[in-house]
Amino acid sequence: MTLTAKNKFVFVDGSLLRPNSDDLLFGAWIRCNSMVISWILNDVSRDIADSLLFITTASEIWTDLRNRFHESNAPRIFQIKKLLNGLQQGSMDANSYYTKLRILWDELKDFQPVSVCNCGSIKEWMTYQDQECVMLFLMGLNDSYAQIRAQILMTEPTPTISMLFSLVLQEERQRSIHKNMLDNGVDLSSVAAQSSHIAVVRSFQNNRGGRNGYPNDKNFGDRPLCSGCHYPGHTVDKCFKIHGYPPGHPRYK
């Protein structure tokens, strides 16, 4: 990528031949060739660099290195597939697990041949490939995600791997919020009940309703909400259900 970005890859693939010594570009070619050679020598180990010192062109060095270290793709493909089949989320969070899976999957796809097709079947092949990645992601998820995994498997069409990761990430964040609330001693059932009563209060405020014993008062939504019984109209220090009903009240015992 560096060679391409600096417009110097032509010196290693041999497409820019060495000009004649009387050519006006000869001096520029020599300088650029020497610069690329220095980049390569600085990027390899000292032992390898010593064996390349007497090669005069960058393209010859590049060819020599490729002939030395070129390997078949089969061992790496086997290794990637083995890692993918054994990949589990375990103690990793959703983001780390997804990133590790995508790195292996994208490298595996890079080894696959790409055919030129004008019949539209290449789109079906890409869709199938994406579904395969989705299945690998779901198989490696922890059992705590069994519910959301079942929901995704029943979804038609199957969501893409990016959409799937977004759903799992939202689920992980929601669990983190609940865990923090439990760690801080917050009663989730109390919070849910209070939220439900607040929603009822706001609904009556908007509808100006007088049903279910609630007064038809335009300022009803501004009334205090008891944190004990979760009903509006009083505070916890004056709650009859907690402190008892006063004499003369129909429910006084």
Side-chain angles (χ1 to χ4, degrees):
M1 288 187 293
T2 302
L3 291 170
T4 303
K6 295 181 177 297
N7 199 25
K8 296 296 185 294
F9 194 75
V10 291
F11 287 89
V12 297
D13 67 358
S15 59
L16 184 60
L17 299 177
R18 177 174 179 169
N20 296 326
S21 58
D22 57 349
D23 194 307
L24 294 177
L25 297 176
F26 179 77
W29 190 94
I30 292 295
R31 288 193 299 271
C32 291
N33 178 70
S34 300
M35 180 171 59
V36 174
I37 289 177
S38 67
W39 292 346
I40 297 175
L41 295 180
N42 288 328
D43 202 44
V44 298
S45 66
R46 180 63 182 271
D47 294 338
I48 297 175
D50 290 342
S51 66
L52 302 173
L53 289 176
F54 299 101
I55 302 178
T56 57
T57 64
S59 62
E60 290 176 343
I61 292 178
W62 194 264
T63 302
D64 182 82
L65 291 173
R66 183 170 59 180
N67 293 337
R68 282 199 222 178
F69 302 106
H70 175 72
E71 296 179 359
S72 172
N73 294 333
R76 180 55 183 164
I77 293 175
F78 174 81
Q79 185 182 25
I80 294 173
K81 288 190 174 183
K82 188 174 182 180
L83 290 172
L84 283 172
N85 290 332
L87 184 61
Q88 298 290 325
Q89 180 184 1
S91 59
M92 293 185 290
D93 57 24
N95 184 52
S96 300
Y97 170 59
Y98 171 79
T99 302
K100 190 171 183 178
L101 175 70
R102 283 304 299 265
I103 290 174
L104 292 172
W105 183 258
D106 290 342
E107 185 178 356
L108 180 63
K109 286 178 63 178
D110 191 57
F111 288 113
Q112 297 174 352
V114 179
S115 59
V116 179
C117 175
N118 297 322
C119 63
S121 60
I122 188 66
K123 183 178 181 181
E124 296 180 0
W125 169 250
M126 297 300 294
T127 302
Y128 171 77
Q129 288 286 84
D130 196 66
Q131 289 180 352
E132 284 291 298
C133 189
V134 167
M135 294 303 169
L136 285 173
F137 183 83
L138 290 176
M139 287 190 296
L141 278 177
N142 291 336
D143 292 337
S144 58
Y145 292 95
Q147 183 176 0
I148 189 173
R149 178 166 49 203
Q151 294 174 354
I152 292 171
L153 289 174
M154 292 186 295
T155 303
E156 287 291 343
T158 304
T160 64
I161 183 63
S162 298
M163 295 173 59
L164 172 59
F165 170 66
S166 178
L167 293 173
V168 173
L169 189 61
Q170 292 178 29
E171 176 71 14
E172 184 180 68
R173 288 174 178 171
Q174 188 68 21
R175 292 183 182 186
S176 178
I177 293 174
H178 285 186
K179 183 178 182 301
N180 290 337
M181 295 178 69
L182 289 174
D183 292 342
N184 293 329
V186 179
D187 186 355
L188 295 180
S189 60
S190 174
V191 173
Q194 183 173 353
S195 300
S196 176
H197 282 290
I198 292 176
V200 171
V201 169
R202 290 177 177 173
S203 175
F204 275 98
Q205 180 186 14
N206 295 332
N207 297 327
R208 301 294 187 266
R211 296 167 291 177
N212 299 331
Y214 286 96
N216 188 5
D217 184 359
K218 65 179 181 179
N219 294 323
F220 179 67
D222 298 331
R223 301 174 66 187
L225 184 66
C226 177
S227 60
C229 66
H230 307 295
Y231 278 90
H234 61 277
T235 56
V236 66
D237 59 319
K238 298 179 180 180
C239 181
F240 292 161
K241 287 189 176 182
I242 296 179
H243 303 290
Y245 293 92
H249 193 279
R251 296 185 180 181
Y252 173 75
K253 293 182 180 181

